[in-house]
PDB file of all heavy atoms in Angstrom:
ATOM      1  N   ASP A  13     -52.548  20.973 -51.152  1.00 78.00           N
ATOM      2  CA  ASP A  13     -51.378  20.978 -50.329  1.00 78.00           C
ATOM      3  C   ASP A  13     -51.187  22.081 -49.278  1.00 78.00           C
ATOM      4  O   ASP A  13     -50.612  21.998 -48.306  1.00 78.00           O
ATOM      5  CB  ASP A  13     -50.094  20.884 -51.241  1.00 78.00           C
ATOM      6  CG  ASP A  13     -48.854  20.472 -50.574  1.00 78.00           C
ATOM      7  OD1 ASP A  13     -48.959  19.622 -49.736  1.00 78.00           O
ATOM      8  OD2 ASP A  13     -47.837  21.108 -50.789  1.00 78.00           O
ATOM      9  N   LEU A  14     -51.756  23.229 -49.764  1.00 75.00           N
ATOM     10  CA  LEU A  14     -51.634  24.453 -48.901  1.00 75.00           C
ATOM     11  C   LEU A  14     -52.854  24.583 -47.900  1.00 75.00           C
ATOM     12  O   LEU A  14     -52.881  25.562 -47.163  1.00 75.00           O
ATOM     13  CB  LEU A  14     -51.594  25.663 -49.735  1.00 75.00           C
ATOM     14  CG  LEU A  14     -50.356  25.889 -50.593  1.00 75.00           C
ATOM     15  CD1 LEU A  14     -50.400  27.042 -51.464  1.00 75.00           C
ATOM     16  CD2 LEU A  14     -49.102  25.844 -49.641  1.00 75.00           C
ATOM     17  N   LYS A  15     -53.535  23.559 -47.792  1.00 75.00           N
ATOM     18  CA  LYS A  15     -54.699  23.386 -46.803  1.00 75.00           C
ATOM     19  C   LYS A  15     -54.152  23.556 -45.357  1.00 75.00           C
ATOM     20  O   LYS A  15     -53.218  22.714 -45.034  1.00 75.00           O
ATOM     21  CB  LYS A  15     -55.502  22.151 -47.014  1.00 75.00           C
ATOM     22  CG  LYS A  15     -56.604  21.938 -46.022  1.00 75.00           C
ATOM     23  CD  LYS A  15     -57.399  20.687 -46.295  1.00 75.00           C
ATOM     24  CE  LYS A  15     -58.444  20.372 -45.299  1.00 75.00           C
ATOM     25  NZ  LYS A  15     -59.057  19.088 -45.502  1.00 75.00           N
ATOM     26  N   PRO A  16     -54.727  24.486 -44.522  1.00 69.00           N
ATOM     27  CA  PRO A  16     -54.089  24.442 -43.214  1.00 69.00           C
ATOM     28  C   PRO A  16     -54.348  23.221 -42.419  1.00 69.00           C
ATOM     29  O   PRO A  16     -55.407  22.540 -42.549  1.00 69.00           O
ATOM     30  CB  PRO A  16     -54.889  25.645 -42.602  1.00 69.00           C
ATOM     31  CG  PRO A  16     -55.627  26.298 -43.642  1.00 69.00           C
ATOM     32  CD  PRO A  16     -55.720  25.375 -44.850  1.00 69.00           C
ATOM     33  N   ALA A  17     -53.342  22.824 -41.605  1.00 62.00           N
ATOM     34  CA  ALA A  17     -53.503  21.723 -40.708  1.00 62.00           C
ATOM     35  C   ALA A  17     -54.551  22.015 -39.640  1.00 62.00           C
ATOM     36  O   ALA A  17     -54.712  23.176 -39.224  1.00 62.00           O
ATOM     37  CB  ALA A  17     -52.194  21.361 -40.159  1.00 62.00           C
ATOM     38  N   GLN A  18     -55.293  21.002 -39.225  1.00 56.00           N
ATOM     39  CA  GLN A  18     -56.347  21.246 -38.238  1.00 56.00           C
ATOM     40  C   GLN A  18     -56.002  20.362 -37.018  1.00 56.00           C
ATOM     41  O   GLN A  18     -55.463  19.251 -37.197  1.00 56.00           O
ATOM     42  CB  GLN A  18     -57.719  20.901 -38.830  1.00 56.00           C
ATOM     43  CG  GLN A  18     -58.008  21.792 -39.930  1.00 56.00           C
ATOM     44  CD  GLN A  18     -59.377  21.443 -40.612  1.00 56.00           C
ATOM     45  OE1 GLN A  18     -59.865  20.350 -40.437  1.00 56.00           O
ATOM     46  NE2 GLN A  18     -59.952  22.420 -41.333  1.00 56.00           N
ATOM     47  N   ASP A  19     -56.471  20.890 -35.797  1.00 48.00           N
ATOM     48  CA  ASP A  19     -56.351  20.089 -34.621  1.00 48.00           C
ATOM     49  C   ASP A  19     -57.507  19.106 -34.517  1.00 48.00           C
ATOM     50  O   ASP A  19     -58.314  19.004 -35.451  1.00 48.00           O
ATOM     51  CB  ASP A  19     -56.218  20.993 -33.453  1.00 48.00           C
ATOM     52  CG  ASP A  19     -57.455  21.813 -33.175  1.00 48.00           C
ATOM     53  OD1 ASP A  19     -58.498  21.571 -33.849  1.00 48.00           O
ATOM     54  OD2 ASP A  19     -57.413  22.705 -32.336  1.00 48.00           O
ATOM     55  N   VAL A  20     -57.569  18.412 -33.392  1.00 48.00           N
ATOM     56  CA  VAL A  20     -58.630  17.372 -33.281  1.00 48.00           C
ATOM     57  C   VAL A  20     -60.074  17.973 -33.322  1.00 48.00           C
ATOM     58  O   VAL A  20     -61.034  17.243 -33.563  1.00 48.00           O
ATOM     59  CB  VAL A  20     -58.434  16.524 -32.044  1.00 48.00           C
ATOM     60  CG1 VAL A  20     -57.196  15.719 -32.102  1.00 48.00           C
ATOM     61  CG2 VAL A  20     -58.367  17.459 -30.800  1.00 48.00           C
ATOM     62  N   ARG A  21     -60.210  19.286 -32.979  1.00 56.00           N
ATOM     63  CA  ARG A  21     -61.537  19.912 -33.117  1.00 56.00           C
ATOM     64  C   ARG A  21     -61.794  20.570 -34.473  1.00 56.00           C
ATOM     65  O   ARG A  21     -62.661  21.405 -34.599  1.00 56.00           O
ATOM     66  CB  ARG A  21     -61.571  20.926 -31.960  1.00 56.00           C
ATOM     67  CG  ARG A  21     -61.487  20.363 -30.565  1.00 56.00           C
ATOM     68  CD  ARG A  21     -61.336  21.406 -29.539  1.00 56.00           C
ATOM     69  NE  ARG A  21     -60.095  22.152 -30.044  1.00 56.00           N
ATOM     70  CZ  ARG A  21     -59.459  23.048 -29.324  1.00 56.00           C
ATOM     71  NH1 ARG A  21     -59.935  23.404 -28.102  1.00 56.00           N
ATOM     72  NH2 ARG A  21     -58.329  23.701 -29.741  1.00 56.00           N
ATOM     73  N   ASN A  22     -60.973  20.183 -35.522  1.00 56.00           N
ATOM     74  CA  ASN A  22     -61.126  20.826 -36.823  1.00 56.00           C
ATOM     75  C   ASN A  22     -60.996  22.308 -36.825  1.00 56.00           C
ATOM     76  O   ASN A  22     -61.539  22.997 -37.587  1.00 56.00           O
ATOM     77  CB  ASN A  22     -62.492  20.453 -37.463  1.00 56.00           C
ATOM     78  CG  ASN A  22     -62.490  19.000 -37.914  1.00 56.00           C
ATOM     79  OD1 ASN A  22     -61.525  18.471 -38.227  1.00 56.00           O
ATOM     80  ND2 ASN A  22     -63.699  18.469 -37.933  1.00 56.00           N
ATOM     81  N   GLN A  23     -60.127  22.820 -35.977  1.00 56.00           N
ATOM     82  CA  GLN A  23     -59.745  24.165 -35.906  1.00 56.00           C
ATOM     83  C   GLN A  23     -58.380  24.330 -36.561  1.00 56.00           C
ATOM     84  O   GLN A  23     -57.480  23.471 -36.325  1.00 56.00           O
ATOM     85  CB  GLN A  23     -59.692  24.755 -34.502  1.00 56.00           C
ATOM     86  CG  GLN A  23     -61.038  24.658 -33.758  1.00 56.00           C
ATOM     87  CD  GLN A  23     -62.138  25.540 -34.391  1.00 56.00           C
ATOM     88  OE1 GLN A  23     -61.814  26.624 -34.772  1.00 56.00           O
ATOM     89  NE2 GLN A  23     -63.304  24.965 -34.504  1.00 56.00           N
ATOM     90  N   PRO A  24     -58.133  25.372 -37.445  1.00 56.00           N
ATOM     91  CA  PRO A  24     -56.871  25.464 -37.984  1.00 56.00           C
ATOM     92  C   PRO A  24     -55.801  25.764 -36.930  1.00 56.00           C
ATOM     93  O   PRO A  24     -56.055  26.426 -35.945  1.00 56.00           O
ATOM     94  CB  PRO A  24     -56.964  26.771 -38.867  1.00 56.00           C
ATOM     95  CG  PRO A  24     -58.524  26.943 -39.012  1.00 56.00           C
ATOM     96  CD  PRO A  24     -59.206  26.351 -37.889  1.00 56.00           C
ATOM     97  N   LEU A  25     -54.633  25.060 -37.111  1.00 51.00           N
ATOM     98  CA  LEU A  25     -53.553  25.356 -36.145  1.00 51.00           C
ATOM     99  C   LEU A  25     -52.931  26.633 -36.401  1.00 51.00           C
ATOM    100  O   LEU A  25     -52.862  27.320 -37.537  1.00 51.00           O
ATOM    101  CB  LEU A  25     -52.409  24.257 -36.421  1.00 51.00           C
ATOM    102  CG  LEU A  25     -52.847  22.812 -36.084  1.00 51.00           C
ATOM    103  CD1 LEU A  25     -51.702  21.848 -36.396  1.00 51.00           C
ATOM    104  CD2 LEU A  25     -53.137  22.759 -34.583  1.00 51.00           C
ATOM    105  N   PRO A  26     -52.378  27.349 -35.293  1.00 52.00           N
ATOM    106  CA  PRO A  26     -51.756  28.626 -35.409  1.00 52.00           C
ATOM    107  C   PRO A  26     -50.622  28.600 -36.331  1.00 52.00           C
ATOM    108  O   PRO A  26     -49.828  27.570 -36.317  1.00 52.00           O
ATOM    109  CB  PRO A  26     -51.449  29.099 -33.991  1.00 52.00           C
ATOM    110  CG  PRO A  26     -51.663  27.782 -33.209  1.00 52.00           C
ATOM    111  CD  PRO A  26     -52.434  26.835 -33.905  1.00 52.00           C
ATOM    112  N   GLY A  27     -50.450  29.719 -37.074  1.00 52.00           N
ATOM    113  CA  GLY A  27     -49.286  29.794 -37.914  1.00 52.00           C
ATOM    114  C   GLY A  27     -49.443  29.121 -39.327  1.00 52.00           C
ATOM    115  O   GLY A  27     -48.524  29.193 -40.151  1.00 52.00           O
ATOM    116  N   GLU A  28     -50.514  28.488 -39.541  1.00 53.00           N
ATOM    117  CA  GLU A  28     -50.780  27.805 -40.819  1.00 53.00           C
ATOM    118  C   GLU A  28     -51.194  28.936 -41.803  1.00 53.00           C
ATOM    119  O   GLU A  28     -51.764  29.879 -41.384  1.00 53.00           O
ATOM    120  CB  GLU A  28     -51.769  26.704 -40.709  1.00 53.00           C
ATOM    121  CG  GLU A  28     -51.318  25.533 -40.012  1.00 53.00           C
ATOM    122  CD  GLU A  28     -50.308  24.712 -40.845  1.00 53.00           C
ATOM    123  OE1 GLU A  28     -50.348  24.692 -42.135  1.00 53.00           O
ATOM    124  OE2 GLU A  28     -49.343  24.158 -40.227  1.00 53.00           O
ATOM    125  N   GLY A  29     -51.088  28.802 -43.144  1.00 53.00           N
ATOM    126  CA  GLY A  29     -51.243  29.695 -44.157  1.00 53.00           C
ATOM    127  C   GLY A  29     -52.652  30.197 -44.322  1.00 53.00           C
ATOM    128  O   GLY A  29     -53.601  29.564 -43.769  1.00 53.00           O
TER     129      GLY A  29
END
Side-chain angles (χ1 to χ4, degrees):
D13 192 44
L14 294 176
K15 178 181 177 184
Q18 297 176 342
D19 63 10
V20 292
R21 297 170 301 193
N22 286 332
Q23 299 295 320
L25 293 175
E28 289 289 326

